[in-house]
Amino acid sequence: MNSLFALIIGVLVGTGVFLLLSRSIVRVVIGLAFIAYGINLTILTVAGLSQASPPLLSSPGPYVDPLPQALILTAIVIGFATTALILTVALRAYQVAGHDDVEAFGDNLARTVDSDLERADPEHQSPDQPDWEDDTLAGGRSL
């Protein structure tokens, strides 16, 4: 049973690292989620897989330590919130820049900007060219 879990953990983390190294934001987010699932499964496996009683103190018999389950539940909740935040930022970056290429953000030398390309949000410039280049901050204050 432990070798099967080790194989699943290896596949999850390996796939997560492969996706994390890609240039698309969505693939990076999916890669982070795969790595998080692999780590959660690692915590569960290291805590000991047993068929003992559930971590309920009202039932008789040997108890399973509830700490790994509590840690994993907390990690799942934090992971969902982090994933939602990253996807929101990725969506906004796509709306502003018109692409989701991670390597092209903030590096003007990575690719040439085609002025002929139609942007998803034409009112805002890309992260490569901030809105406040003309001596005003994004909030409208002067420098």
Side-chain angles (χ1 to χ4, degrees):
M1 185 87 165
N2 285 339
S3 60
L4 176 66
F5 274 68
L7 179 67
I8 293 172
I9 291 168
V11 168
L12 282 173
V13 172
T15 305
V17 169
F18 175 75
L19 291 172
L20 190 65
L21 295 176
S22 67
R23 295 173 59 159
S24 172
I25 293 176
V26 175
R27 295 182 82 183
V28 169
V29 171
I30 292 172
L32 286 173
F34 275 25
I35 291 173
Y37 293 142
I39 291 172
N40 289 340
L41 199 55
T42 302
I43 292 171
L44 188 65
T45 305
V46 169
L49 299 171
S50 67
Q51 299 283 332
S53 297
L56 301 173
L57 297 178
S58 60
S59 63
Y63 301 112
V64 175
D65 187 13
L67 183 61
Q69 284 89 3
L71 288 174
I72 291 169
L73 181 63
T74 305
I76 288 171
V77 171
I78 292 171
F80 279 143
T82 306
T83 302
L85 176 68
I86 293 173
L87 285 176
T88 303
V89 171
L91 177 66
R92 183 64 187 148
Y94 179 75
Q95 287 175 343
V96 171
H99 62 87
D100 65 343
D101 189 2
V102 175
E103 195 170 320
F105 289 136
D107 189 4
N108 293 330
L109 299 176
R111 67 182 182 101
T112 59
V113 177
D114 294 332
S115 60
D116 298 336
L117 290 177
E118 186 172 321
R119 295 176 185 231
D121 188 3
E123 294 180 9
H124 297 91
Q125 298 179 9
S126 73
D128 300 336
Q129 301 166 344
D131 292 338
W132 43 272
E133 282 184 348
D134 55 347
D135 295 339
T136 57
L137 294 175
R141 295 180 293 167
S142 297
L143 289 175

